[in-house]
């Protein structure tokens, strides 16, 4: 059996209003994109070949699902015109559709089923049928001629039903329902070693914080002191909840900062947008104080770059002579202790002096005291390829590439917050990067710069 | 933002119309300082206020503080759904008396609960 998913945009215009940057079919329901629910459903029916057809750009969907190998599926993609009917889409994809029996998932909706029941249903070879008056879910046997599509079968049964998500109110209600009552019916993201609680990786919360089930926490989430989260809270990836804030029956979408001393109940927070889950009212907060997108606007500001460039020029002039006198002989005797580092979000790589290798000899450690390992990177600042102070410049390896992908923005700098604190490498790194992104300002950068220079000069390289 | 003041039996009724945000909230504070010379108790009629941000909210709190120092109070009337969300999440509803309509807000000064 095969599956054709027609990801048409007409059913879901509200998504654009409430979640402007999110592709509607990648809209996360309980931290999982809607299309992934479709794929789970297809996988349960032992479908292995899926064609996703979109009437808008399909690039984001394709980037997310790629060839489907991660889900054990073979996914192909195709485009349609916005005015194309399902019949046109079927005809345009005829060679795919006519090979085997076909399930068609037509449009923006939610398939309400119980994962476990559906598997047993399928194993017992019962007819999969559903309550679907809008005919989003269609079964078409191999021999059915295409011109019969409008009259396709939709049986009434309790095993599956189709839910419309026609407004943000439906979205909120459905999310809460999945989390609180149906979290066992679907495969939800996160680790769950206790009932009704799902935790992502890199979740840090102080002992003064309190979490109450049911709840879902995404990856790279940080709670500050005295936060209280749950019951019925869905926290997305890359979220910071500041001190003394209480969140109940709410959804905090990914890449969002929630300020201190707030009380969120029955709300959806998407970056700096506040939406009532009970009335659908939405306001865009313009001052980035109460809630905001985690972003690095300051990093790209002209003033900040100019200040950083001037300081870099000064440091290059100061370090030039020691570099010529001390580093060049070191290089002749000891070789060039370099490693590959990632210098932007597109994962471009450059080779630079690796302090981990240099610290193995006493001469190398002396050079690290003088920060001569940073000389090459400072020249990159002068050519505006990285910043003086920014995110940590990570070594090129699989773990770090994933970590950079997880960050909402990545603008590396010669000096970083992580280097200015006494922290070990490991899972905590991402929190320093998120904290930096959240707090970044010219003064903050200068503070980091002074701390790292002083720390290096007094104590040398310690990581 | 538009501000209209009416003195109703020694209670100052201030109609706030439009957006109350970082760009114009200082205007509200200066206006309030002027009308405070005439009345001590006030009702902010918010029916026409479609948006308020944290600076706007901070200004209303500053007005409340100033009114309290003069022995008066500020009560809010007809708060619309969108600005109400800001009052909800910041817990500001705990420090203001918020009424559905202006008459109830005016009457509340008589009953002085």
């Amino acid at each position: 059996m095969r599956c054709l998913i027609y990801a048409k945009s007409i059913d879901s215009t509200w998504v654009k209003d409430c979640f402007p940057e999110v592709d509607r079919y990648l809209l996360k329901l309980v931290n999982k994109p809607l299309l992934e629910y479709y794929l789970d459903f297809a996988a349960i029916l032992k479908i292995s070949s899926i064609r996703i057809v979109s009437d808008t750009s399909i690039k984001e969907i394709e980037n997310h699902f790629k060839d489907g190998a991660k889900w054990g599926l073979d996914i192909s993609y195709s485009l349609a015109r916005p005015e194309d009917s399902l019949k046109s889409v079927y005809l345009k994809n005829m060679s795919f559709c006519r090979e085997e029996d076909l399930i068609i998932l037509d449009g923006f909706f939610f398939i309400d089923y119980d994962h476990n029941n559906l598997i047993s249903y399928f194993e017992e070879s019962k007819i999969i049928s559903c309550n679907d008056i809008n005919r989003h879910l269609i079964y078409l046997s191999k021999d059915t001629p295409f011109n019969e599509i409008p009259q396709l079968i939709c049986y009434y049964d309790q095993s599956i039903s189709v839910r419309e998500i026609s407004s943000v109110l439906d979205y909120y209600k459905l999310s809460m329902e999945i989390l609180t009552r149906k979290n066992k019916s679907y495969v939800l993201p996160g680790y769950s070693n206790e009932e009704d609680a799902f935790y992502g990786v890199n979740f840090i919360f102080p002992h003064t914080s309190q979490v109450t089930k049911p709840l879902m926490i995404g990856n790279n989430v940080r709670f500050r002191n005295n936060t209280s989260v749950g019951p019925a809270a869905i926290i997305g990836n890359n979220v910071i909840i500041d001190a003394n804030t209480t969140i109940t029956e709410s959804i905090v979408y990914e890449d969002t900062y929630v300020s201190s001393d707030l009380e969120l109940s029955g709300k959806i927070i998407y970056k700096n947008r506040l939406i009532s889950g009970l009335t659908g009212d939405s306001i865009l907060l313009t001052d980035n104080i109460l809630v905001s997108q985690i972003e690095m606007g300051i990093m790209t500001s002209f003033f900040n770059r100019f200040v950083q460039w001037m300081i870099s020029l000064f440091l290059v002039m100061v370090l030039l002579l020691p570099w010529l006198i001390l580093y060049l002989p070191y290089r002749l005797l000891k070789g060039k202790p370099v490693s590959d580092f990632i210098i932007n979000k597109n994962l471009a790589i450059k080779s630079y002096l690796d302090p981990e290798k240099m610290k193995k000899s006493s001469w190398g450690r002396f050079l690290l005291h003088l920060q001569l390992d940073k000389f090459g990177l400072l020249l990159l600042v002068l050519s505006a390829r990285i910043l003086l102070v920014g995110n940590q410049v990570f070594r090129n390896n699989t773990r770090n590439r994933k970590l950079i992908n997880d960050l909402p923005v990545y603008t590396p700098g010669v000096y970083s917050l992580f280097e200015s604190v006494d922290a070990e490498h490991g899972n905590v790194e991402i929190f320093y990067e998120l904290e930096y992104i959240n707090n970044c300002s010219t003064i903050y950068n200068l503070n980091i710069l002074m701390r790292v220079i002083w720390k290096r000069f007094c104590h040398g390289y310690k990581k | 933002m538009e501000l209209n003041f009416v003195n109703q039996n020694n209670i100052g009724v201030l109609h706030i119309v439009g957006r109350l945000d970082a760009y114009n909230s200082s205007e509200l504070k200066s206006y309030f300082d002027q009308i405070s010379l005439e009345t001590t108790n006030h009702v902010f009629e918010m029916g026409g206020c479609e948006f308020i941000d944290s600076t706007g909210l901070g200004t209303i709190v500053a007005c409340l503080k100033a009114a309290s120092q003069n022995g008066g109070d500020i009560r809010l009337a007809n708060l619309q759904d969108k600005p109400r969300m800001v009052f909800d999440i910041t817990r500001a509803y705990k420090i203001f008396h918020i009424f559905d309509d202006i008459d109830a807000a005016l009457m509340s000064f008589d009953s002085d609960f």
Side-chain angles (χ1 to χ4, degrees):
Chain A
M1 191 151 60
R2 292 184 166 189
C3 178
L4 177 77
I5 299 173
Y6 184 18
K8 61 186 176 192
S9 53
I10 195 158
D11 300 339
S12 51
T13 45
W14 65 269
V15 180
K16 213 72 194 153
D17 299 332
C18 296
F19 305 92
E21 292 98 9
V22 179
D23 184 291
R24 56 204 87 203
Y25 285 87
L26 296 178
L27 178 70
K28 289 190 173 172
L29 267 166
V30 198
N31 286 355
K32 176 167 168 158
L34 179 69
L35 259 183
E36 268 192 59
Y37 288 94
Y38 289 18
L39 298 189
D40 281 355
F41 177 73
I44 291 171
L45 301 185
K46 303 255 177 9
I47 289 168
S48 57
S49 191
I50 291 179
R51 167 75 51 91
I52 300 177
V53 183
S54 173
D55 61 1
T56 54
S57 167
I58 205 164
K59 197 176 160 200
E60 270 188 67
I61 293 176
E62 200 168 347
N63 282 343
H64 186 87
F65 294 106
K66 299 196 167 71
D67 61 358
K70 190 177 162 188
W71 289 266
L73 300 165
D74 174 21
I75 302 178
S76 56
Y77 302 89
S78 166
L79 280 167
R81 293 182 311 164
E83 63 269 28
D84 277 354
S85 65
L86 179 61
K87 189 171 172 180
S88 316
V89 169
Y90 177 87
L91 290 172
K92 285 177 178 174
N93 294 275
M94 183 90 121
S95 59
F96 174 86
C97 297
R98 290 300 295 273
E99 288 285 312
E100 296 172 34
D101 291 352
L102 186 70
I103 289 273
I104 300 175
L105 305 179
D106 179 24
F108 188 84
F109 64 101
F110 183 74
I111 311 167
D112 198 346
Y113 64 89
D114 185 305
H115 176 80
N116 304 309
N117 286 350
L118 199 59
I119 289 173
S120 61
Y121 244 75
F122 187 75
E123 280 168 358
E124 289 165 25
S125 302
K126 289 186 183 173
I127 295 169
I128 301 294
S129 52
C130 77
N131 173 20
D132 177 18
I133 51 167
N134 290 317
R135 304 198 166 182
H136 287 299
L137 183 71
I138 294 163
Y139 170 74
L140 187 65
S141 73
K142 190 182 166 186
D143 308 319
T144 312
F146 67 81
N147 55 6
E148 285 183 20
I149 285 179
Q151 289 87 42
L152 289 172
I153 344 158
C154 287
Y155 298 107
Y156 177 79
D157 193 281
Q158 295 300 321
S159 57
I160 317 170
S161 65
V162 162
R163 297 264 299 263
E164 299 290 334
I165 321 172
S166 52
S167 69
V168 73
L169 298 179
D170 289 343
Y171 168 76
Y172 174 79
K173 198 173 156 194
L174 182 58
S175 300
M176 287 296 135
E177 198 178 309
I178 295 171
L179 177 69
T180 56
R181 292 196 278 122
K182 295 185 172 172
N183 61 49
K184 291 186 194 71
S185 301
Y186 305 97
V187 181
L188 295 179
Y191 297 103
S192 176
N193 55 5
E194 50 185 322
E195 213 165 89
D196 296 335
F198 299 84
Y199 299 101
V201 294
N202 295 331
F203 167 44
I204 284 188
F205 71 106
H207 68 277
T208 52
S209 285
Q210 188 187 338
V211 290
T212 312
K213 296 184 292 183
L215 87 163
M216 156 80 65
I217 309 279
N219 298 331
N220 312 322
V221 172
R222 183 172 192 174
F223 293 171
R224 296 223 167 99
N225 284 331
N226 298 318
T227 47
S228 171
V229 176
I234 300 167
I235 311 295
N237 298 334
N238 305 323
V239 166
I240 298 172
I241 311 286
D242 218 332
N244 302 315
T245 286
T246 301
I247 298 179
T248 54
E249 295 174 11
S250 294
I251 302 166
V252 180
Y253 210 83
E254 62 191 24
D255 299 336
T256 299
Y257 164 76
V258 180
S259 181
S260 56
D261 301 301
L262 300 183
E263 186 176 271
L264 300 175
S265 181
K267 302 286 188 297
I268 302 167
I269 310 290
Y270 171 71
K271 297 176 178 172
N272 57 347
R273 192 177 293 267
L274 181 63
I275 304 162
S276 168
L278 308 173
T279 63
D281 285 320
S282 159
I283 51 171
L284 191 64
L285 294 164
T286 49
D287 56 2
N288 288 346
I289 292 175
L290 301 176
V291 293
S292 64
Q293 179 179 0
I294 293 178
E295 61 182 349
M296 210 177 276
I298 181 71
M299 304 272 323
T300 51
S301 78
F302 175 77
F303 176 72
N304 182 49
R305 282 188 178 267
F306 179 71
V307 170
Q308 296 211 14
W309 193 89
M310 292 299 286
I311 298 172
S312 303
L313 183 63
F314 172 75
L315 289 173
V316 166
M317 289 193 293
V318 169
L319 293 176
L320 182 61
L321 198 59
W323 189 79
L324 290 170
I325 296 169
L326 298 169
Y327 171 70
L328 291 181
Y330 170 83
R331 184 177 162 176
L332 284 173
L333 286 170
K334 303 265 182 184
K336 202 176 174 188
V338 294
S339 292
D340 287 344
F341 289 90
I342 303 167
I343 58 162
N344 61 32
K345 182 89 176 164
N346 297 329
L347 307 179
I349 293 161
K350 261 199 159 305
S351 291
Y352 281 97
L353 290 176
D354 187 346
E356 288 295 330
K357 291 180 179 171
M358 289 174 74
K359 75 177 186 184
K360 288 174 185 161
S361 71
S362 53
W363 193 348
R365 284 195 294 276
F366 177 66
L367 296 181
L368 287 173
H369 260 284
L370 299 177
Q371 301 171 51
L372 292 180
D373 58 309
K374 294 186 180 295
F375 189 79
L377 289 170
L378 284 168
L379 295 177
L380 269 193
V381 181
L382 296 183
S383 61
R385 297 188 62 187
I386 62 171
L387 292 169
L388 179 65
V389 183
N391 289 113
Q392 190 184 168
V393 182
F394 287 103
R395 270 181 203 81
N396 179 29
N397 58 41
T398 314
R399 176 185 164 276
N400 289 340
R401 284 198 296 273
K402 184 179 178 316
L403 190 147
I404 289 168
N405 270 329
D406 284 347
L407 287 172
V409 279
Y410 175 65
T411 314
V414 182
Y415 297 88
S416 68
L417 172 67
F418 185 74
E419 208 181 344
S420 73
V421 294
D422 291 317
E424 294 293 324
H425 281 279
N427 287 341
V428 294
E429 278 172 308
I430 193 154
F431 293 106
Y432 287 102
E433 300 314 317
L434 287 172
E435 179 155 335
Y436 175 73
I437 292 165
N438 185 39
N439 294 318
C440 181
S441 69
T442 303
I443 300 293
Y444 192 66
N445 285 342
L446 290 173
N447 196 331
I448 290 170
L449 178 67
M450 298 312 291
R451 284 210 314 256
V452 178
I453 290 177
W454 178 251
K455 200 173 156 212
R456 268 291 187 97
F457 189 73
C458 296
H459 308 292
Y461 178 80
K462 282 204 165 173
K463 294 278 190 282
Chain B
M1 182 183 60
E2 218 175 282
L3 300 169
N4 298 308
F5 174 71
V6 182
N7 186 339
Q8 247 177 282
N9 302 325
N10 273 336
I11 298 172
V13 178
L14 183 62
H15 297 267
I16 301 173
V17 181
R19 291 168 65 89
L20 179 57
D21 56 24
Y23 301 104
N24 56 24
S25 54
S26 57
E27 203 182 308
L28 170 65
K29 183 67 175 70
S30 337
Y31 195 82
F32 182 76
D33 288 343
Q34 285 173 33
I35 62 173
S36 295
L37 301 172
E38 196 177 323
T39 50
T40 51
N41 288 322
H42 301 88
V43 174
F44 283 6
E45 200 282 317
M46 310 281 286
C49 178
E50 77 236 18
F51 176 82
I52 185 167
D53 70 0
S54 61
T55 315
L57 179 63
T59 306
I60 296 184
V61 173
C63 293
L64 176 67
K65 199 175 161 192
S68 303
Q69 281 166 355
N70 291 336
D73 194 10
I74 293 175
R75 292 175 188 179
L76 306 181
N78 209 5
L79 191 59
Q80 298 302 294
D81 286 342
K82 289 181 179 181
R84 189 182 289 272
M85 278 204 280
V86 176
F87 280 77
D88 272 352
I89 68 164
T90 54
R91 302 179 173 111
Y93 63 89
K94 291 180 179 174
I95 56 170
F96 286 99
H97 292 295
I98 301 171
F99 296 87
D100 284 349
D101 58 59
I102 194 164
D103 292 336
L106 289 168
M107 276 163 58
S108 71
F109 282 108
D110 295 337
S111 57
D112 201 19
F113 62 88

